[in-house]
Amino acid sequence: MLATSIAVLAAAAVASAQSVVTINVGGPGGAPTFSPNNITASNGTILNFVFTGVPGNHSVTQSTFAAPCTSFEGGFDSGWILVTAATTPPPSWNLTITNDQKPIWFYCKQLVNQHCHAGMVAGVNVQPGPNSLQQFEANAKTAATIQQDEGGNSGTGATASADPFLPAGVSRFVAASATNPPVAAASVSGANGGGGGSSSTTSAASGSTSKSSTGRAVPFGFTSNVLTVFAGMLAGAAMVL
Ligand SMILES: *[C@@H]1O[C@H](CO)[C@@H](O)[C@H](O)[C@H]1NC(C)=O
Ligand SMILES: *[C@@H]1O[C@H](CO)[C@@H](O)[C@H](O)[C@H]1NC(C)=O
Ligand SMILES: *[C@@H]1O[C@H](CO)[C@@H](O)[C@H](O)[C@H]1NC(C)=O
Ligand SMILES: *[C@@H]1O[C@H](CO)[C@@H](O)[C@H](O)[C@H]1NC(C)=O
Ligand SMILES: [Cu+2]
């Protein structure tokens, strides 16, 4: 009985010594990277995203293995965080792992230079087998769209208890921009060089205000991008049937 209690207390003590994995979002010169991008993290571990890439305009947006550059209802999303100059401390966002039994996949939804196509993707608790990080990266390169829909703090397998921390001088864009159209994978060639042709942005998005923790600026499933995807899926399903 006493031994059991001690074991329970010991387990609680271990659980409260929360481990932290720091992930750098963006590299120097705007490089579209998450570092590290192959993360192992057990329940309760904090994924501490630090937006150290300068300049940077990145997001941390949950997707699925099957659709690496597509957000989903119930997935986490930081919104775009625009860093024009280094700050101390940098912007950051903490996600806590709530289920370490399934892989968690995420991408950056920035359309300028098409970060998801350029490999700004990562996996947590990637398991051996066909759903490898390499395959996820390969799928990201050829993804049909980089979906822009806005998620929130709560995700699947990992969740944030607060919006990203923004130091002075850093802005966050939370509204999915109507002028950010889906980008065809076919147009990606030389993605990192040019201006990413169709990636114009709107100043309307810059008047952003914080959304509520769980709020979504644009409901999933109601953008033309998503409808296009659904139409494609239906067409695909029809062909299978
Ligand atoms: C990612 O991590 C998993 C688990 O440690 C490992 O099996 C896999 O080989 C790693 N993949 C890459 C690309 O490093
Ligand atoms: C982590 O939490 C999930 C969800 O509660 C649970 O299914 C899983 O077994 C936990 N992992 C471990 C190693 O206990
Ligand atoms: C994120 O978690 C780390 C580790 O616990 C903590 O030091 C930091 O203050 C947290 N950041 C925010 C913005 O809550
Ligand atoms: C940052 O990205 C957001 C979303 O695409 C966009 O609205 C904003 O104009 C961008 N800012 C800069 C300076 O690139
Ligand atoms: Cu990015």
Side-chain angles (χ1 to χ4, degrees), residues 56-58 80-82 84 109-112 148 171 173 175 177 179-180 199-206:
N57 196 355
H58 304 287
W80 297 270
I81 294 181
L82 172 64
T84 54
K109 64 183 179 178
Q110 184 51 254
L111 283 176
V112 177
Q148 303 296 296
S171 27
F173 300 84
S177 164
T179 60
N180 278 343
S199 51
S200 65
T201 54
T202 176
S203 56
S206 61

Side-chain angles (χ1 to χ4, degrees), residues 141-170:
K141 285 196 172 76
T142 57
T145 62
I146 299 176
Q147 200 174 327
Q148 303 296 296
D149 286 349
E150 187 64 25
N153 286 334
S154 89
T156 301
T159 196
S161 59
D163 284 351
F165 160 72
L166 302 177
V170 171

Side-chain angles (χ1 to χ4, degrees), residues 119-238:
M120 191 164 180
V121 297
V124 182
N125 298 327
V126 177
Q127 289 160 6
N131 289 8
S132 67
L133 184 63
Q134 289 96 327
Q135 191 58 53
F136 184 67
E137 288 169 341
N139 293 349
K141 285 196 172 76
T142 57
T145 62
I146 299 176
Q147 200 174 327
Q148 303 296 296
D149 286 349
E150 187 64 25
N153 286 334
S154 89
T156 301
T159 196
S161 59
D163 284 351
F165 160 72
L166 302 177
V170 171
S171 27
R172 174 167 173 247
F173 300 84
V174 294
S177 164
T179 60
N180 278 343
V183 177
S187 70
V188 173
S189 56
N192 283 317
S198 53
S199 51
S200 65
T201 54
T202 176
S203 56
S206 61
S208 64
T209 52
S210 262
K211 62 186 165 23
S212 71
S213 312
T214 52
R216 287 165 192 279
V218 173
F220 282 78
F222 291 97
T223 67
S224 57
N225 302 6
V226 174
L227 290 177
T228 306
V229 171
F230 278 153
M233 288 167 70
L234 287 174

Side-chain angles (χ1 to χ4, degrees), residues 42-43 98-101:
S42 54
N43 287 350
T98 57
N99 188 354
D100 55 17
Q101 300 299 296

Side-chain angles (χ1 to χ4, degrees), residues 79-103:
W80 297 270
I81 294 181
L82 172 64
V83 181
T84 54
T87 61
T88 307
S92 63
W93 196 40
N94 282 347
L95 285 171
T96 303
I97 299 294
T98 57
N99 188 354
D100 55 17
Q101 300 299 296
K102 288 185 176 165

Side-chain angles (χ1 to χ4, degrees), residues 11-69:
V14 168
S16 68
Q18 212 164 10
S19 16
V20 179
V21 176
T22 297
I23 301 157
N24 289 289
V25 182
T33 55
F34 290 112
S35 180
N37 69 348
N38 190 20
I39 298 140
T40 302
S42 54
N43 287 350
T45 296
I46 292 176
L47 304 183
N48 175 222
F49 290 92
V50 286
F51 292 71
T52 47
V54 180
N57 196 355
H58 304 287
S59 79
V60 177
T61 305
Q62 189 168 17
S63 63
T64 58
F65 179 81
C69 307

